[in-house]
Amino acid sequence: MPVITLPDGSKKEFPNPVTVAEVASSIGAGLARAALAGKVNGRLVDTSFRIESDAGVSIVTDRDAEGIEVIRHSTAHLLAHAVKELFPEAQVTIGPVIADGFYYDFAYSRAFTEADLAAIEKRMQEIAKRDHPVARKLMPRDDAVKFFRDQGEEYKAQIIAGIPAGENISLYSQGEFTDLCRGPHVPSTGKLKAFKLMKLAGAYWRGDSKNEMLQRIYGTAWADKKALDEYLHRLEEAEKRDHRKLGKALDLFHIQEEAPGMVFWHERGWRLYQAITQYMSRLWRDHDYREIRTPQLVDRSLWEKSGHWEKFHADMFITESEKRLYAVKPMNCPCHIQVYNQGIKSYRDLPFRLAEFGSCHRNEQSGALHGLMRVRGFVQDDAHIFCTEDQIQSEVSAFIDLLHKVYADFGFKEVQYRLSTRPVNRIGSDESWDSAEHALEQALNAKNLPWALQPGEGAFYGPKIEFSLKDSIGRVWQCGTIQVDFSMPGRLGAEYVAADGARRTPVMLHRAILGSVERFIGILIEEYAGAFPVWLAPVQAAVLPISEKYLDYAETVTKDLKKAGLLVETDLRNEKIGFKIREHTLQRVPYLLVVGEKEASNATVAVRTRTGEDLGAMTLDAFRQRLDRETEGLV
């Protein structure tokens, strides 16, 4: 007579062993129809799973993250089923869930085409409508190997043969199709209602370039058509906003093969870059940070002392001079400790805050490089705070306030927070970890911030808070972080004189708000689709003379506005005004200043916005005041 405890604490007693599906039915017909899987004592299982003793049970539906994952996993099997019906000679291999979807790899004698993709998707829809029950069964390993070999599925047989002898293998069947899988899966194919195949790609068997090339089909799956349509819309928007395309179209930057993962900043891109770094420098000064600059090349011995050589030397760029090995700086923290160590520090000097736009280089794999988002050469808005354990919470609290201001000024309204706590392999005493974790947690709670716990995800030297931004089309970007470090200050000899005269080691807080400046600019380009707010715009206004007769007045306007500190360009081309307006609108210039006979006579400009709004005639003073209001506190 199993007693089932439900998530709300209520209990249900059954006279005999009961399945998850039967538990759902006992709660209500609606829940029974919606059930995709269950969680029994925290373990995700099929709705057909039999519960034979007392257990905590929750029903998983498409409203749960686990439910969406079950849908995507099951849709990968639906894809394989469709391929086998259409192309019986194809061999199925593996089909995992990935972010927002799934893929499945196939071995087939010819390359799949876009027409094949459409046919496969149509067949998937047909199989879903058949509403085949999905059934799980266990088979001894050797029997499973034979089962798949008899079907000509050599890849599946290889996978199973790698499982220890004597194991029972979990198989799932729907209609005539059977696949190897750990599960769980939806109860029937009719639960799969919103999916789309996205693209074809190549993939090596088991990810090894020495093995044969397979064909990978990517897909996405969602709870319903509305969610699928919203996702496809986000993809369409993301394509329009691709920072690599906009970087070229707006003449901001480029990357070329002779310097992989390194950015060539053009004049307009560098203006954007400087607007960001100058803004951050002002904030650093206002919040008592000391801005510094440290070397690019540092002797191997320092990286050995800090522990980075052992853990990261494969990702470092190494050079040699006069029989000494140097690493191009991959991170800034050891160098900041060298600055801290110059001169004796007292407890009265703490907290001691050092900040740097630290230029770093890491030897990322070429296949991982992606525009500004993943580069080999980048700059961090890196800072390190040397403090006592008692000061951790107040420093973290002040940092969170600063981070919120920065993100709000850049236009980001939604921030997500994650607290990562002690991993199994760590240094430092349990007491120190308790103190640091409590300080971080209290700093978040004191501000009533909703945060998620990531147990065991802290660095080996201390816990951390991660700050992620949600952009205008729903994507999440992890940018900011603050990490507590008990290790490196001691390794590199950092000390302070305590109130009792004793020498003690400070705690070091690693913190960044933007993270990589390059990556943050990539995020900004995509967030604004290149239409930056005035304070960030590389060109704030374009002066557009109607004809050659007004070139002199246009240049006078431009010089006057430049003297006021505005970023202004003049379009002196012999083109029609409509053409010029369109060109500069496409360049996302915030303001277009049209000048002709009336404007020249009245010492005004006719002001239009990039969105097409006509603001009418303004004097230059009135236009300057408008921009001053828009950029107040930011430049």
Side-chain angles (χ1 to χ4, degrees):
M1 297 178 63
V3 176
I4 303 303
T5 303
L6 300 174
D8 64 0
S10 63
K11 297 180 185 296
K12 283 183 172 288
E13 188 172 324
F14 294 85
N16 299 299
V18 62
T19 65
V20 169
E22 288 168 339
V23 173
S25 293
S26 75
I27 298 171
L31 185 60
R33 287 192 297 272
L36 299 176
K39 289 181 83 172
V40 177
N41 294 331
R43 175 188 164 205
L44 197 63
V45 298
D46 297 294
T47 58
S48 60
F49 181 84
R50 283 173 61 83
I51 307 163
E52 301 194 358
S53 58
D54 296 353
V57 175
S58 59
I59 308 302
V60 175
T61 72
D62 60 21
R63 295 184 178 184
D64 302 305
E66 296 102 327
I68 300 300
E69 185 154 325
V70 169
I71 285 172
R72 289 172 179 159
H73 199 167
S74 300
T75 310
H77 280 231
L78 186 69
L79 164 59
H81 189 167
V83 168
K84 289 298 291 184
E85 284 196 358
L86 291 171
F87 308 97
E89 300 304 314
Q91 291 190 60
V92 295
T93 65
I94 57 170
V97 172
I98 56 175
D100 295 330
F102 58 89
Y103 69 77
Y104 215 115
D105 291 345
F106 301 93
Y108 191 51
S109 56
R110 68 165 175 82
F112 289 133
T113 65
E114 290 297 324
D116 292 332
L117 214 59
I120 294 167
E121 185 176 305
K122 183 179 178 183
R123 182 58 62 91
M124 289 170 68
Q125 292 165 349
E126 293 171 4
I127 297 170
K129 287 177 182 176
R130 294 177 204 162
D131 200 19
H132 291 299
V134 178
R136 180 178 185 263
K137 63 180 177 181
L138 295 177
M139 186 180 290
R141 188 202 72 164
D142 292 346
D143 291 351
V145 170
K146 182 178 185 304
F147 173 82
F148 283 103
R149 286 221 165 105
D150 288 347
Q151 294 188 6
E153 298 287 357
E154 286 298 323
Y155 292 93
K156 288 293 183 187
Q158 280 186 46
I159 294 170
I160 298 168
I163 297 171
E167 293 278 337
N168 280 328
I169 305 302
S170 171
L171 305 181
Y172 281 82
S173 297
Q174 52 194 49
E176 299 299 315
F177 177 72
T178 298
D179 203 352
L180 164 71
C181 191
R182 186 179 295 117
H185 282 273
V186 295
S188 69
T189 60
K191 299 288 187 183
L192 307 175
K193 300 173 181 176
F195 51 82
K196 183 173 180 58
L197 299 185
M198 305 300 293
K199 64 179 181 178
L200 293 160
Y204 291 109
W205 169 234
R206 297 188 184 275
D208 188 339
S209 60
K210 295 177 183 176
N211 291 336
E212 56 269 41
M213 177 67 78
L214 305 173
Q215 298 186 66
R216 177 168 294 177
I217 298 178
Y218 285 95
T220 188
W222 297 82
D224 52 41
K225 187 175 185 301
K226 181 183 177 184
L228 173 62
D229 289 344
E230 287 173 352
Y231 171 72
L232 296 176
H233 175 70
R234 289 198 301 272
L235 286 186
E236 186 179 331
E237 278 296 302
E239 179 70 16
K240 291 178 188 174
R241 295 163 181 262
D242 189 319
H243 74 281
R244 295 165 298 179
K245 294 179 180 177
L246 287 172
K248 182 176 182 180
L250 302 180
D251 196 23
L252 301 176
F253 70 91
H254 81 274
I255 298 173
Q256 64 189 59
E257 184 54 39
E258 289 79 3
M262 313 285 185
V263 184
F264 291 80
W265 290 104
H266 300 189
E267 181 189 15
R268 290 186 177 187
W270 192 240
R271 286 180 185 173
L272 171 60
Y273 198 107
Q274 289 182 307
I276 293 169
T277 55
Q278 289 166 8
Y279 162 86
M280 292 300 298
S281 282
R282 286 191 298 273
L283 283 185
W284 283 344
R285 288 193 297 272
D286 292 345
H287 290 79
D288 297 323
Y289 286 84
R290 305 161 191 248
E291 187 172 352
I292 61 173
R293 184 72 175 170
T294 58
Q296 285 298 100
L297 294 177
V298 182
D299 189 279
R300 167 180 175 168
S301 60
L302 182 62
W303 304 111
E304 288 177 332
K305 289 177 187 175
S306 70
H308 289 105
W309 187 267
E310 178 185 355
K311 293 182 179 295
F312 298 110
H313 79 272
D315 297 324
M316 294 181 180
F317 289 102
I318 309 297
T319 188
E320 185 176 352
S321 175
E322 296 179 343
K323 298 183 179 180
R324 292 177 65 182
L325 277 182
Y326 296 86
V328 183
K329 184 172 62 174
M331 61 271 299
N332 302 297
C333 29
C335 293
H336 285 202
I337 295 176
Q338 306 314 301
V339 175
Y340 174 88
N341 284 348
Q342 301 307 300
I344 297 172
K345 301 295 185 297
S346 159
Y347 70 95
R348 293 189 180 91
D349 297 314
L350 305 184
F352 191 89
R353 307 179 188 94
L354 296 175
E356 177 181 13
F357 289 110
S359 183
C360 300
H361 291 78
R362 296 179 188 171
N363 191 15
E364 300 279 1
Q365 294 294 313
S366 59
L369 301 177
H370 178 74
L372 299 178
M373 303 304 195
R374 181 66 70 89
V375 290
R376 286 177 172 169
F378 58 95
V379 170
Q380 291 178 311
D381 66 318
D382 215 355
H384 295 89
I385 301 168
F386 299 85
C387 64
T388 66
E389 281 194 33
D390 292 342
Q391 293 170 332
I392 292 174
Q393 183 177 333
S394 60
E395 285 301 302
V396 171
S397 181
F399 168 73
I400 292 173
D401 288 340
L402 178 59
L403 174 138
H404 284 159
K405 172 179 170 48
V406 172
Y407 289 168
D409 284 348
F410 282 106
F412 294 102
K413 298 180 176 64
E414 189 170 341
V415 184
Q416 297 179 1
Y417 312 87
R418 292 181 177 85
L419 173 59
S420 300
T421 55
R422 69 193 77 187
V424 174
N425 296 315
R426 60 183 183 269
I427 60 159
S429 67
D430 286 344
E431 291 77 15
S432 292
W433 278 89
D434 289 341
S435 174
E437 290 173 356
H438 180 72
L440 296 184
E441 183 175 338
Q442 287 298 103
L444 289 166
N445 289 339
K447 298 184 181 301
N448 295 315
L449 298 174
W451 53 274
L453 181 65
Q454 297 187 136
E457 293 298 315
F460 73 94
Y461 51 75
K464 62 181 177 178
I465 302 173
E466 295 177 355
F467 303 86
S468 299
L469 298 172
K470 192 169 186 179
D471 70 14
S472 57
I473 59 173
R475 295 170 301 181
V476 176
W477 307 93
Q478 197 271 308
C479 294
T481 184
I482 186 160
Q483 304 179 5
V484 181
D485 189 345
F486 302 122
S487 170
M488 201 180 304
R491 292 181 72 124
L492 297 183
E495 293 181 334
Y496 69 94
V497 179
D500 61 3
R503 297 277 180 137
R504 295 188 183 161
T505 302
V507 177
M508 183 164 72
L509 306 181
H510 304 248
R511 46 115 299 178
I513 296 176
L514 310 181
S516 157
V517 177
E518 283 73 10
R519 182 170 177 268
F520 192 75
I521 289 176
I523 294 168
L524 283 176
I525 293 171
E526 298 195 358
E527 164 72 5
Y528 288 107
F532 302 109
V534 171
W535 75 281
L536 288 173
V539 180
Q540 295 171 323
V543 182
L544 313 179
I546 288 175
S547 70
E548 290 186 356
K549 290 190 291 184
Y550 308 107
L551 295 183
D552 289 343
Y553 179 63
E555 291 190 327
T556 299
V557 168
T558 300
K559 287 178 183 177
D560 193 2
L561 293 176
K562 281 184 174 180
K563 283 181 183 178
L566 304 184
L567 298 171
V568 186
E569 293 183 356
T570 315
D571 190 336
L572 301 177
R573 293 175 298 172
N574 185 23
E575 298 285 356
K576 291 182 178 180
I577 191 64
F579 176 84
K580 292 182 180 181
I581 289 172
R582 182 176 181 276
E583 285 279 291
H584 291 280
T585 299
L586 290 173
Q587 286 292 302
R588 276 71 161 178
V589 177
Y591 288 103
L592 310 179
L593 310 182
V594 179
V595 295
E597 181 178 1
K598 185 190 298 184
E599 290 75 27
S601 300
N602 298 328
T604 61
V605 290
V607 183
R608 294 173 59 93
T609 71
R610 62 188 163 204
T611 61
E613 185 181 3
D614 186 350
L615 301 180
M618 292 186 191
T619 65
L620 296 190
D621 279 345
F623 179 68
R624 282 196 298 266
Q625 289 169 15
R626 181 184 179 91
L627 264 64
D628 285 345
R629 289 192 297 272
E630 288 191 46
T631 60
E632 185 177 1
L634 298 170
V635 295

